[in-house]
Amino acid sequence: MSQPAINIQPANPILTVNNIEVVYDEVIQVLRGVSLAVPEGDVVTLLGPNGAGKSTTLKAISGLLKSEDGEVTKGDITFMGERIDNKNAEDVVRSGVFQVMEGRRIIEDMTAIENLKLGAYTRNDSQINQDIEMVFNYFPRLKERTGLAGYLSGGEQQMLAIGRALMARPKMICLDEPSMGLSPLLVKEVFSIIGQINREQGITMLLVEQNANYALKAANYGYIMESGKIVLDGTQDELLNNEDVKEFYLGGGNEERKSFKNLKSYKRRKRWL
């Protein structure tokens, strides 16, 4: 069945994903007609259970599918008016999109500064050292860590991964599970800095996150994905106040409901799909 219409179509989205399908190994279809739009300067979140296709959506945008034998077989992805679904990852970075991958993916046998400089590899200007100081302003803890990045804590590694993205001077950052493996206190700190970067640098953010409470509170708009499709979308307030979202993603909702499993299946088929 066709997915629900997007409630709000920004007049000039910086990113448009139009009805894409993604197949791995020429056989396994993961995305089944995904469409979304990201307004410039906003934070947009993509929520859903494990295996829904959220990370695959980010990899399709970032040009990382080829490294995993995946490809966009239908639809198109446009960034700043230019199609990027046929570009490799390096060219997508040059276009202005940088992905912070799930699990950080820092280079453990390099120092923090060397990791940051690696983020600037597509640049050819004299402002790299200045931007390293800018990263240290957001993450002062990193300036104190002079050893190998592999010895950083999980939170510090996540900060380094975000800082490395900033070094590319991107117009949009795709963040994949920035809270994974972090303590509640560090999750709060990381999301606070993400919001600060968005406000101060004007960088557009597309956020995939299991912690729906933090993700929705950080975002202007959100999409919920299940089984490779967008099943619901709305503004921050619309999703935070949606009874199904409260129950299935925020841990609230109608207390009189008895069977989570049966109602979940029934409600989604009838109401969302």
Side-chain angles (χ1 to χ4, degrees):
M1 302 177 80
S2 60
Q3 66 179 56
I6 296 174
N7 290 332
I8 298 176
Q9 283 284 3
N12 295 298
I14 194 171
L15 175 78
T16 302
V17 177
N18 179 36
N19 197 35
I20 65 167
E21 295 182 358
V22 168
V23 173
Y24 283 98
D25 299 320
E26 300 182 351
V27 175
I28 305 169
Q29 186 174 4
V30 177
L31 300 188
R32 307 170 186 274
V34 170
S35 295
L36 57 86
V38 180
E40 186 171 5
D42 277 8
V43 178
V44 173
T45 188
L46 185 58
L47 305 175
N50 289 332
K54 306 183 301 298
S55 293
T56 294
T57 301
L58 293 192
K59 290 174 183 176
I61 294 166
S62 303
L64 295 170
L65 287 176
K66 292 180 181 178
S67 64
E68 299 180 354
D69 294 323
E71 63 175 331
V72 177
T73 57
K74 182 181 178 181
D76 57 79
I77 303 171
T78 303
F79 182 72
M80 297 186 68
E82 180 183 6
R83 280 191 65 172
I84 60 172
D85 50 280
N86 55 357
K87 290 187 174 185
N88 60 39
E90 180 177 341
D91 289 336
V92 172
V93 171
R94 293 182 187 280
S95 296
V97 180
F98 197 107
Q99 180 169 341
V100 177
M101 306 250 329
E102 178 183 343
R104 273 79 87 173
R105 308 288 182 93
I106 62 164
I107 310 300
E108 294 186 355
D109 58 355
M110 295 173 66
T111 66
I113 288 181
E114 288 170 339
N115 270 273
L116 292 176
K117 289 181 177 179
L118 187 62
Y121 81 100
T122 59
R123 293 171 51 182
N124 185 21
D125 60 77
S126 60
Q127 303 298 312
I128 291 176
N129 289 334
Q130 177 180 318
D131 285 355
I132 289 175
E133 289 302 317
M134 178 263 294
V135 171
F136 287 157
N137 286 334
Y138 286 113
F139 306 109
R141 208 173 308 174
L142 295 179
K143 191 171 186 177
E144 303 168 0
R145 305 297 188 257
T146 57
L148 297 180
Y151 292 104
L152 298 176
S153 69
E156 290 166 348
Q157 289 185 7
Q158 185 63 67
M159 294 172 186
L160 180 57
I162 296 172
R164 184 175 57 186
L166 288 175
M167 290 299 299
R169 288 194 173 179
K171 297 177 178 67
M172 185 175 82
I173 296 177
C174 298
L175 292 153
D176 196 353
E177 304 286 4
S179 75
M180 179 177 287
L182 303 185
S183 69
L185 186 61
L186 277 174
V187 171
K188 183 177 181 180
E189 182 179 355
V190 166
F191 269 91
S192 175
I193 295 171
I194 287 171
Q196 185 182 358
I197 291 170
N198 169 251
R199 293 189 303 273
E200 295 180 355
Q201 303 295 326
I203 299 173
T204 307
M205 305 274 189
L206 179 57
L207 170 67
V208 162
E209 178 55 55
Q210 286 289 339
N211 192 322
N213 276 295
Y214 273 105
L216 284 175
K217 289 174 182 177
N220 306 96
Y221 201 84
Y223 296 86
I224 294 177
M225 173 178 281
E226 293 187 0
S227 302
K229 298 179 181 179
I230 301 294
V231 296
L232 186 70
D233 66 288
T235 64
Q236 179 192 71
D237 287 342
E238 288 171 342
L239 294 181
L240 284 172
N241 293 311
N242 182 288
E243 288 300 319
D244 291 319
V245 174
K246 286 183 191 178
E247 181 172 5
F248 305 140
Y249 293 99
L250 303 178
N254 191 335
E255 295 180 359
E256 297 180 358
R257 295 173 176 174
K258 302 298 182 183
S259 173
F260 176 85
K261 181 178 180 181
N262 292 338
L263 180 64
K264 179 178 176 181
S265 176
Y266 170 76
K267 290 287 287 185
R268 283 178 181 163
R269 286 202 190 99
K270 183 176 180 180
R271 190 169 189 174
W272 290 356
L273 300 178

